[in-house]
Amino acid sequence: MSWSSSDFGPSAKVSGENGALEEQKSPKFKKRETEVYIGNLPLDISEEEIRCLLKDFSPLRVHRVQNGCRCFAFVDLGSMQKVALAIQALNGKLFHKRKLYVNSNNRSPKRTPEETERPRELLISEKASAQGFAGTTACPQLTPKASGEPCETEKPKTSFFAVPMEMRGSFLVLLLRECFRDLGWLATIPSIGGEVGLLVTSTVPQTPFFWAMHITETLYQNMQALFSALAEAEEQQPYLQDSAVRRGTRGLAEYHLGDYGPAWNRCWVLDRADSWVVVMFVDFGRSATIPVQSLRTLDSDDFWTIPPLTQPFMLEKGILSSNQVIHRILKGKITGALNLESHILKFEEFK
């Protein structure tokens, strides 16, 4: 790859004509929304190896840059959705014993006056999330704010909530890889829009986040097929051996549907402590602690072809009361998606 003098910006120091130290230039790329930035790469990595690293996202072009002891790359993936998925899948991942820094190749937005007034703790949290494995997204809830001047009109104050770990893209990418062997479900979520009906399956206390099933004909068909298959397999599936139960295990466990009683459903083991395991019921967005001996095997891929029935949402205004809305249908409209977690849709309920 060749570079012209206009393609360079200031970087390291080198000797000039008189032996003095002058500014060396480093490559500068035009910003593209379909490009992903990958930092902290090994110095000896080739463009072909970088392309292989992102093979799941069908890279179009790879630009490798080495500047002294730093090596990074810009990779064009062809769509903003693939960029978001690549960030969720690779940011923070160890590659050749190096922790990758993966981000979108966009200019950072200018800070607004409201942002400069945020608590220091929030700014630190946002800075850390941009460099870590999962992003921290803030969402607003309007509350009164006392003014410093007695004669001034009170201004609204914005409260912020961190996205729950089990709703973050990095967590869901891991779940989809280990349980469903497919990331396609995440890519379909941003296409949902307009007026919708949501069957709430779980809420996150004291936050606007909740899990719900988007009511469609496809959902109904998937529910019928999945629950029928699980009901038939329930007594045929043996209980898991103690040694086989560990983090990442796919299984079948009883999920309590409130007044509807218990039913056997798909789950994924999050952690284990002695004779207890923490599992995530992937079709309801709920975690539970259950005895190890209560887990049945469900490792056949035939049971994992249907994607998760539930998905994460954020209430545009207010907070849901878990006791009032679980297993209820909410009617409203999709108003957009979170910037850093585009698979979490914003929902405004009709009153």
Side-chain angles (χ1 to χ4, degrees):
M1 182 181 297
S2 61
W3 303 96
S4 65
S5 59
S6 61
D7 291 325
F8 295 87
S11 182
K13 301 282 188 176
V14 293
S15 295
E17 277 184 356
N18 301 322
L21 294 180
E22 296 178 348
E23 296 288 338
Q24 186 188 16
K25 310 295 182 179
S26 62
K28 181 174 68 176
F29 298 92
K30 182 180 179 181
K31 301 285 185 180
R32 292 194 185 97
E33 292 182 336
T34 60
E35 279 189 348
V36 66
Y37 165 82
I38 306 178
N40 201 31
L41 290 169
L43 296 179
D44 58 350
I45 193 170
S46 65
E47 288 192 355
E48 188 59 37
E49 287 177 292
I50 297 172
R51 189 180 296 274
C52 184
L53 175 65
L54 288 106
K55 65 181 185 300
D56 292 341
F57 310 99
S58 306
L60 302 179
R61 286 178 294 278
V62 177
H63 300 295
R64 177 185 174 277
V65 183
Q66 184 172 340
N67 182 9
C69 61
R70 295 176 61 235
C71 183
F72 53 94
F74 297 95
V75 184
D76 190 349
L77 300 181
S79 73
M80 293 174 63
Q81 185 59 40
K82 287 184 179 180
V83 168
L85 291 175
I87 293 170
Q88 293 165 358
L90 299 175
N91 191 31
K93 178 181 178 181
L94 286 179
F95 181 71
H96 290 261
K97 298 182 179 180
R98 287 171 172 259
K99 188 174 182 179
L100 295 179
Y101 172 39
V102 184
N103 207 342
S104 59
N105 185 24
N106 291 326
R107 295 187 184 276
S108 300
K110 293 182 179 180
R111 299 186 64 81
T112 63
E114 290 78 12
E115 286 177 311
T116 60
E117 295 176 1
R118 294 184 187 178
R120 177 174 174 81
E121 292 78 10
L122 176 64
L123 300 180
I124 293 174
S125 173
E126 289 180 336
K127 182 177 180 181
S129 70
Q131 299 176 352
F133 189 62
T136 300
T137 307
C139 50
Q141 179 192 12
L142 296 180
T143 56
K145 175 182 178 182
S147 170
E149 298 293 334
C151 58
E152 266 188 37
T153 304
E154 289 189 352
K155 297 178 181 179
K157 179 182 178 181
T158 302
S159 298
F160 296 92
F161 302 88
V163 174
M165 180 60 69
E166 66 275 13
M167 287 188 176
R168 295 180 182 178
S170 54
F171 177 90
L172 293 177
V173 164
L174 184 61
L175 183 151
L176 292 171
R177 276 182 171 168
E178 295 197 1
C179 292
F180 299 89
R181 324 296 195 209
D182 182 17
L183 301 180
W185 175 71
L186 278 179
T188 65
I189 291 179
S191 64
I192 301 172
E195 295 186 6
V196 295
L198 303 180
L199 175 61
V200 180
T201 59
S202 178
T203 62
V204 181
Q206 305 303 314
T207 78
F209 296 101
F210 64 99
W211 294 85
M213 298 180 183
H214 176 214
I215 301 173
T216 62
E217 183 63 30
T218 299
L219 172 71
Y220 177 76
Q221 294 172 355
N222 285 343
M223 289 178 69
Q224 290 284 91
L226 176 62
F227 294 156
S228 296
L230 294 179
E232 292 178 6
E234 174 189 331
E235 295 184 358
Q236 302 173 10
Q237 298 300 116
Y239 286 96
L240 280 164
Q241 295 292 323
D242 185 274
S243 59
V245 180
R246 55 186 176 273
R247 185 179 182 134
T249 299
R250 301 187 294 186
L252 187 66
E254 276 193 314
Y255 176 77
H256 291 270
L257 291 164
D259 296 337
Y260 300 97
W264 289 85
N265 280 280
R266 301 184 294 186
C267 65
W268 184 50
V269 175
L270 301 178
D271 206 352
R272 174 174 178 171
D274 298 326
S275 60
W276 296 87
V277 288
V278 179
V279 298
M280 175 80 170
F281 287 99
V282 298
D283 296 304
F284 296 91
R286 278 196 142 180
S287 58
T289 302
I290 61 175
V292 169
Q293 62 267 27
S294 67
L295 269 176
R296 292 180 183 269
T297 182
L298 198 71
D299 203 42
S300 171
D301 288 339
D302 293 339
F303 294 106
W304 299 90
T305 56
I306 295 175
L309 301 179
T310 193
Q311 65 188 72
F313 291 90
M314 186 198 82
L315 199 63
E316 186 75 55
K317 299 176 182 178
I319 294 174
L320 294 176
S321 170
S322 58
N323 294 330
Q324 295 176 357
V325 300
I326 297 296
H327 304 142
R328 273 186 50 208
I329 295 176
L330 301 181
K331 294 182 179 180
K333 63 180 180 179
I334 301 300
T335 60
L338 295 188
N339 291 332
L340 300 182
E341 302 281 3
S342 60
H343 61 282
I344 301 180
L345 302 180
K346 298 178 184 178
F347 173 77
E348 182 178 341
E349 184 181 6
F350 293 150
K351 298 295 185 181

